[in-house]
């Protein structure tokens, strides 16, 4: 079957190129425990000396000062992270003439070690270790390079409007990826940059949308890969490859009750769809139920009218499928349910683009034009 693409930037329609894995780093915290010596005097008898003699005080003060200094350094190092909004070369020393160690693309996580006037010493995390990869897979170990990068394109936690700067570059990279002659690897750049907005600025007003956009790009690319496999034509969903749901579920967990969580929930339905109906009523009936359930539970979601249309279209397909199964009663029921769903779109979501598509579907059904099978080609 062929469906018209969903308009807008949150569409499932593939518009970018494959992406790479990207995730935030987690640091552990601990607090030092000072050991305080005590002096009980000679022969085990108490003396009039202070509880902490001079040497004991020295040890205590030095230990305490060292612990405080270490904690300060640790906290500072933990906070000093950033990313690049333009690719930069990683060099051995802070000089444009220094030897190259590698390239850091847009959106990679950078742990800042120290900074000078025009250069920053960083640990660039170019590839996170993959837990799901085979031991022989070179990507399972990850890739990190420590060196110096120019500070011109570096955005860190203290950069004014840092979240907006990174988000803007992510949007530009996404636009580049959608163009026929756009920048190479722009999709990967966009995914990493969007994720970095959420990672570096989790309380930003842009964080929820940025995380969803990163998850959406990743979903599109994995979807494209899944659909190219032979298993994509299997009828049952468990028989074919599954799109990784980790990032979509992260959106739902971190930003519940938002439209971004609603959109992420809508994506997850796709993993439950059949690869091929094989002319039987079981799959389209089950799928229509899932879309109707979503629309009922997420009426305010931007994807609600699309879910209703997906359900209505499947009900319209069942009109013909049930006829091939010699079940006229269910064929008539499917016709009525399809018309009701399509009319609901027209009434409830009149301003949506799906409203006009629903009008077209209503016309087809009323005229008796099949929407599925050879007669609809």
């Amino acid at each position: 079957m062929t469906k018209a693409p969903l308009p807008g930037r949150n569409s499932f329609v593939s518009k970018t190129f494959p992406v790479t894995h990207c995730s935030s780093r987690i640091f552990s915290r601990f607090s030092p425990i000072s050991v305080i010596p005590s002096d009980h005097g000679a022969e085990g008898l108490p003396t009039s000396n202070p509880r902490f003699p001079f040497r004991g005080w020295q040890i205590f003060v030095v230990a305490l000062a060292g612990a405080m200094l270490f904690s300060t350094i640790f906290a500072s190092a933990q906070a000093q992270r950033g990313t690049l909004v333009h690719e930069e070369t990683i060099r051995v020393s802070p000089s444009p003439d220094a030897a190259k160690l590698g390239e850091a693309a847009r959106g990679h996580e950078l742990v800042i070690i120290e900074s000078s006037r025009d250069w920053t010493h960083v640990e660039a995390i170019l590839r996170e270790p993959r837990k799901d990869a085979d031991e022989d897979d070179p990507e399972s170990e990850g890739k990190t390079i420590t060196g110096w990068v120019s500070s011109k394109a570096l955005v860190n936690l203290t950069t004014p409007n840092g979240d907006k700067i990174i988000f803007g570059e992510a949007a530009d990279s996404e636009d580049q990826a959608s163009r026929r002659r756009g920048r190479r690897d722009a999709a990967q750049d966009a995914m990493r940059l969007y994720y970095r907005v959420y990672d570096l600025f989790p309380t930003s007003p842009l964080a929820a949308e940025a995380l969803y956009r990163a998850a959406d790009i990743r979903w599109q690319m994995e979807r494209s890969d899944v659909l190219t496999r032979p298993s994509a034509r299997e009828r049952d969903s468990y028989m074919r490859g599954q799109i990784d749901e980790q990032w979509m579920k992260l959106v739902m967990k971190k930003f519940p009750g938002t439209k971004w969580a609603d959109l992420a929930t809508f994506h997850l339905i796709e993993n439950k769809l059949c690869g091929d109906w094989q002319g039987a009523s079981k799959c389209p009936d089950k799928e229509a139920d899932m879309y109707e359930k979503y629309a009922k539970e997420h009426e305010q979601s931007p994807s609600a009218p699309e879910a209703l249309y997906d359900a209505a279209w499947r009900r319209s397909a069942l009109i013909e499928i049930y006829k091939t199964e010699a079940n006229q009663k269910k064929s008539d029921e499917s016709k009525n349910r399809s018309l009701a769903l399509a009319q609901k779109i027209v009434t409830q979501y009149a301003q949506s683009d799906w409203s006009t598509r629903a009008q077209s579907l209503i016309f087809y059904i009323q005229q008796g034009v099949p929407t599925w099978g050879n007669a609809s080609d």
Side-chain angles (χ1 to χ4, degrees):
M1 61 180 180
T2 303
K3 291 175 53 182
L6 170 63
R9 65 188 179 200
N10 294 320
S11 170
F12 275 162
V13 178
S14 179
K15 57 184 179 182
T16 48
F17 299 100
V19 298
T20 57
H21 292 273
C22 168
S23 64
S24 60
R25 290 174 60 82
I26 302 176
F27 295 85
S28 62
R29 292 178 179 269
F30 66 91
S31 57
I33 302 177
S34 302
V35 178
I36 306 175
S38 60
D39 186 358
H40 298 290
E43 301 178 354
L45 299 176
T47 68
S48 59
N49 290 334
R51 184 176 296 274
F52 300 104
F54 179 71
R55 182 173 179 79
W57 271 107
Q58 281 185 318
I59 296 174
F60 172 71
V61 171
V62 170
L64 181 62
M68 292 178 63
L69 179 60
F70 182 82
S71 297
T72 302
I73 294 174
F74 183 81
S76 176
Q78 185 184 36
Q80 291 303 310
R81 293 190 300 134
T83 192
L84 294 169
V85 292
H86 191 279
E87 62 182 19
E88 292 289 347
T89 300
I90 305 173
R91 299 185 181 276
V92 173
S93 60
S95 170
D97 299 324
K100 297 180 180 180
L101 293 172
E103 297 290 333
R106 296 167 173 83
H108 281 303
E109 180 182 5
L110 303 180
V111 179
I112 299 173
I113 301 172
E114 60 178 309
S115 299
S116 63
R117 181 177 179 181
D118 300 316
W119 295 83
T120 303
H121 194 197
V122 301
E123 180 184 50
I125 304 170
L126 304 183
R127 185 175 62 242
E128 288 283 348
R130 291 182 55 185
K131 296 180 180 180
D132 59 339
D134 297 331
E135 293 182 0
D136 297 333
D137 188 342
E139 290 191 2
S140 65
E141 299 181 357
K143 183 179 180 181
T144 301
I145 297 179
T146 300
W148 293 82
V149 297
S150 172
S151 301
K152 293 179 180 180
L154 178 65
V155 176
N156 59 36
L157 299 177
T158 60
T159 302
N161 297 315
D163 56 337
K164 296 178 181 178
I165 294 170
I166 300 174
F167 191 95
E169 180 57 35
D172 182 71
S173 294
E174 188 175 14
D175 178 66
Q176 282 285 326
S178 67
R179 299 183 182 185
R180 185 175 181 180
R181 300 182 182 275
R183 187 178 73 244
R184 183 180 179 183
D185 296 331
Q188 292 92 324
D189 294 343
M191 188 208 72
R192 288 191 301 266
L193 287 162
Y194 279 133
Y195 184 85
R196 208 54 61 200
V197 173
Y198 157 76
D199 179 39
L200 297 177
F201 305 95
T203 60
S204 166
L206 298 171
E209 181 179 359
L211 181 58
Y212 170 74
R213 286 201 183 190
D216 183 42
I217 292 173
R218 183 174 183 175
W219 184 276
Q220 290 178 46
M221 298 307 98
E222 291 201 13
R223 177 182 185 273
S224 178
D225 177 60
V226 166
L227 293 180
T228 60
R229 302 174 189 173
S231 62
R233 304 303 298 174
E234 294 289 340
R235 187 183 72 171
D236 297 319
S237 59
Y238 66 84
M239 294 292 290
R240 60 183 177 84
Q242 294 288 289
I243 306 170
D244 189 351
E245 299 178 347
Q246 180 182 359
W247 281 20
M248 287 299 175
K249 289 183 175 179
L250 182 61
V251 176
M252 296 160 61
K253 177 182 178 180
K254 295 296 184 180
F255 305 99
T258 65
K259 73 174 184 178
W260 309 112
D262 288 339
L263 290 168
T265 304
F266 183 74
H267 276 290
L268 300 187
I269 296 176
E270 191 163 9
N271 267 343
K272 301 175 183 178
L273 301 180
C274 297
D276 192 325
W277 294 351
Q278 297 179 359
S281 60
K282 178 182 176 180
C283 282
D285 187 44
K286 178 183 176 181
E287 292 172 6
D289 285 342
M290 287 191 292
Y291 282 119
E292 286 185 62
K293 184 175 184 290
Y294 175 87
K296 182 179 180 180
E297 296 177 351
H298 303 271
E299 289 187 349
Q300 302 304 315
S301 168
S303 293
E306 181 182 2
L308 284 173
Y309 182 87
D310 288 337
W313 186 88
R314 281 163 173 77
R315 296 294 178 202
S316 71
L318 284 167
I319 297 172
E320 300 302 319
I321 294 175
Y322 279 127
K323 288 180 180 179
T324 65
E325 297 177 356
N327 195 330
Q328 187 61 42
K329 181 180 178 181
K330 285 198 171 184
S331 176
D332 293 339
E333 289 177 356
S334 296
K335 178 180 179 180
N336 293 333
R337 292 184 69 176
S338 182
L339 285 170
L341 289 168
Q343 189 58 52
K344 187 175 182 179
I345 300 172
V346 175
T347 304
Q348 247 179 265
Y349 304 98
Q351 302 305 315
S352 168
D353 290 340
W354 294 100
S355 176
T356 54
R357 295 190 61 181
Q359 290 278 18
S360 178
L361 183 61
I362 291 172
F363 177 80
Y364 270 68
I365 296 171
Q366 290 176 337
Q367 297 298 316
V369 179
T371 60
W372 179 87
N374 294 332
S376 66
D377 293 341

